[in-house]
Amino acid sequence: MTQHLVVPARPAARGEGEPNAQRRTGWWREAVIYQVYPRSFADANGDGMGDLAGIRARLPYLRDLGVDAVWLSPFYASPQADAGYDVSDYRRVDPMFGELADAAGLIEDAHALGLRVVFDLVPNHCSDQHEWFQQALREGPGSALRKRFHFRAGQGENGELPPNDWESIFGGPAWTRVTEPDGTAGEWYLHLFAPEQPDFNWEHPAVADEFRSILRFWLDLGVDGFRIDVAHGLVKAEGLPDLGVHDQLKLLGNDTMPFFDQDGVHEIYRSWRPILDEYPGERIFVAEAWTPTVDRTANYVRSDELHQAFNFQYLATPWVAEKLRDVVDLTLEAMRPVGAPATWVLSNHDVTRHATRFANPPTEATQIRTAGDRALGLRRARAATVLMLALPGSAYVYQGEELGLPDVTDLPDAVRQDPSFHRASGQDGFRDGCRVPIPWSGGEAPYGFGPVTDGPSWLPQPDSWAELSVEVQTGDPTSTLELYRSALAIRAAHPALGAGDGVEWLDAPAGALAFRRTHADGAFVCVANTGSSPVRLPVPGRLLLTSGEEPVESGGEIVIPADTTVWWSL
Ligand code: NOJ
């Protein structure tokens, strides 16, 4: 069992008890934002599927954990072809998650606890059941509604070939041919993801108007911000040119694509920013933008655009000191000129949890299908989190990582719901493994996820999760949950942690990285040993926290075990 030092009293959450509009400014420059995946967080009605009432009831847990804000993945009306990222009505809550009053109540309760709330906005595509798309299908070629999507005639003698060679992120062509109202095979429509997710045509003014109105709808309800899904995809290159290569997925994130990261997307965000700024309380946008470089990512967070963008380059960095140091430098250098905070993230609902990624040999891949060495993975995951929380800027925590949950790599195929699992050669076919409902308490499934009234949870939980529940880990100073609580409490209280735009690198033995952060009221040192043997260095200050065993001090030196991160105050 590993140990760490626990700070007993939790400082008040930032802004706790203050009305939203009067809270400290710049909160998002250092916020720790917790991602709730509504299907899998807490199930109040016992149907095996998480819901808004469940989340509401568990908000005190998040306050006590010490996070500043909660981001909820989509809970809008949706046929669930892509777990809610296929929205059929942007202003309605899907009955499986509750109703609008639950969303309003959730925001209200969160604010009363000093937590902010970020919702997910899905502007690149909707559901094929959205009324605009259904009307477009009914009205046929050339109709006004078809212009709100990308409908095109096919190539080939009878239009039997897709209009261009773009491939869907979920595998297969990015085009599907429709049957026209008269029963003939007709036009094709573009869907960068599943066929049930037609892409909007953002050149059309009605699309832009509609999304401005949707923003206001949720802002009026009191939401503190939006995570923008596929923020890099809204604008497509003029004329929808062929890419000229197959296996386009391999290029994602490394190359310029005619459907991703086009300069035109920035006009959209410039038009959104004034809307958000009209509302009190410093509301924010965070971009899900997969771009080839952190410099391209920085374009999304220029001062008249979005506030934050996820740092996927960091997420994809293996647990190797030199590589981590490089990505931290690149990130901070890229963000400094635009004045945006860096963000740090290790897990989310689209990637293999970091406890499992780090249980496998070092890789930049974000989808891993093997369980690997669980104990090693957990040890590294804890160390990686403690490192992440020491870096300047804002950090994201994905539900369940605070329990040290691994991915469930052995889900039976029959229960898998990820749409790309069922489409050959898709990118992310194994995303169900990180979406299994989290364990709260008790010795058997569903481990307090909900009352068992209506069958098992939507994805089965492994037997081994009894040991990982919130109940079991609470109060155990060696648990991952208490490590997160301690780390977040120290981060909130230490003047040199949180916001900032630089770190001062210190000499460190091979396999380790070390940096100092300085503030007028106190300095801080973090050392992460990513190697497989202990490293020795001069004692830097007063020990605050370790992700593993307490380091041994002798003769002015301290020994940091393998795969361990340690914090000191100076
Ligand atoms: C990114 C989301 O995080 C993912 O879950 C979804 O499948 C795609 N965007 C499409 O909306």
Side-chain angles (χ1 to χ4, degrees), residues 338-411:
V338 292
T343 68
W344 313 100
V345 59
L346 290 164
S347 282
N348 65 34
H349 66 292
D350 289 331
V351 302
T352 303
R353 287 181 176 279
H354 61 288
T356 298
R357 291 205 312 279
F358 297 150
N360 281 280
T363 172
E364 289 177 10
T366 56
Q367 285 285 314
I368 307 291
R369 295 174 190 184
T370 47
D373 179 339
R374 286 232 165 116
L376 182 66
L378 178 59
R379 183 177 180 91
R380 289 181 172 164
R382 292 166 55 112
T385 297
V386 173
L387 168 61
M388 170 178 88
L389 293 175
L391 294 170
S394 175
Y396 281 80
V397 170
Y398 175 51
Q399 66 174 44
E401 67 169 78
E402 78 278 20
L403 304 175
L405 295 188
D407 246 50
V408 182
T409 48
D410 57 358
L411 284 171

Side-chain angles (χ1 to χ4, degrees), residues 301 316 359 463 534:
V301 289
D463 292 343

Side-chain angles (χ1 to χ4, degrees), residues 518-536:
T518 312
H519 183 276
D521 296 327
F524 164 92
V525 166
C526 174
V527 177
N529 178 11
T530 68
S532 51
S533 18
V535 294
R536 185 179 276 275

Side-chain angles (χ1 to χ4, degrees), residues 272-290:
W272 286 4
R273 182 61 185 260
I275 298 177
L276 207 71
D277 288 347
E278 273 175 37
Y279 287 80
E282 273 199 281
R283 310 197 189 190
I284 63 156
F285 286 122
V286 51
E288 187 224 12
W290 294 83

Side-chain angles (χ1 to χ4, degrees), residues 349-481:
H349 66 292
D350 289 331
V351 302
T352 303
R353 287 181 176 279
H354 61 288
T356 298
R357 291 205 312 279
F358 297 150
N360 281 280
T363 172
E364 289 177 10
T366 56
Q367 285 285 314
I368 307 291
R369 295 174 190 184
T370 47
D373 179 339
R374 286 232 165 116
L376 182 66
L378 178 59
R379 183 177 180 91
R380 289 181 172 164
R382 292 166 55 112
T385 297
V386 173
L387 168 61
M388 170 178 88
L389 293 175
L391 294 170
S394 175
Y396 281 80
V397 170
Y398 175 51
Q399 66 174 44
E401 67 169 78
E402 78 278 20
L403 304 175
L405 295 188
D407 246 50
V408 182
T409 48
D410 57 358
L411 284 171
D413 289 357
V415 304
R416 289 189 182 273
Q417 300 201 12
D418 185 343
S420 60
F421 179 76
H422 303 283
R423 284 169 68 86
S425 71
Q427 180 191 35
D428 297 320
F430 288 82
R431 296 179 302 171
D432 291 306
C434 65
R435 298 176 177 180
V436 173
I438 65 172
W440 291 92
S441 59
E444 350 180 310
Y447 307 115
F449 168 62
V452 203
T453 49
D454 211 8
S457 56
W458 72 281
L459 286 173
Q461 300 157 300
D463 292 343
S464 55
W465 281 17
E467 288 160 28
L468 296 175
S469 73
V470 171
E471 181 182 52
V472 166
Q473 296 198 37
T474 296
D476 172 358
T478 67
S479 73
T480 303
L481 178 57

Side-chain angles (χ1 to χ4, degrees), residues 32-216:
V32 177
I33 302 183
Y34 184 98
Q35 180 187 358
V36 164
Y37 194 65
R39 291 174 147 244
S40 303
F41 190 66
D43 168 21
N45 66 2
D47 63 356
M49 179 64 72
D51 44 43
L52 295 183
I55 300 168
R56 232 178 129 174
R58 298 287 189 184
L59 288 173
Y61 165 79
L62 298 178
R63 190 268 320 268
D64 293 345
L65 181 61
V67 299
D68 302 288
V70 186
W71 147 40
L72 270 65
S73 281
F75 50 78
Y76 315 112
S78 161
Q80 304 289 319
D82 184 20
Y85 283 95
D86 49 317
V87 182
S88 53
D89 186 339
Y90 286 86
R91 296 178 185 79
R92 219 158 55 79
V93 172
D94 196 283
M96 75 190 231
F97 294 120
E99 47 190 64
L100 193 59
D102 296 310
L106 190 153
I107 295 173
E108 200 180 316
D109 289 0
H111 286 173
L113 292 167
L115 294 166
R116 287 182 159 88
V117 182
V118 172
F119 285 171
D120 216 312
L121 186 75
V122 190
N124 179 68
H125 47 262
C126 57
S127 158
D128 62 348
Q129 300 306 309
H130 189 282
E131 62 164 322
W132 285 8
F133 191 74
Q134 285 296 313
Q135 202 177 331
L137 290 181
R138 282 195 300 274
E139 289 185 358
S143 64
L145 264 290
R146 286 214 177 177
K147 297 200 171 75
R148 297 182 187 184
F149 300 92
H150 297 279
F151 276 90
R152 294 284 187 282
Q155 302 189 77
E157 215 171 305
N158 300 306
E160 71 281 9
L161 299 171
N164 72 14
D165 68 357
W166 294 1
E167 293 168 7
S168 153
I169 311 305
F170 290 163
W175 296 89
T176 290
R177 194 173 194 186
V178 303
T179 303
E180 299 298 358
D182 65 4
T184 58
E187 291 189 317
W188 298 69
Y189 67 90
L190 176 70
H191 52 85
L192 293 181
F193 294 88
E196 295 88 349
Q197 293 167 294
D199 279 50
F200 283 116
N201 171 15
W202 270 87
E203 307 284 312
H204 197 294
V207 173
D209 285 349
E210 174 65 354
F211 273 91
R212 283 194 287 263
S213 155
I214 293 165
L215 285 175
R216 287 189 186 282

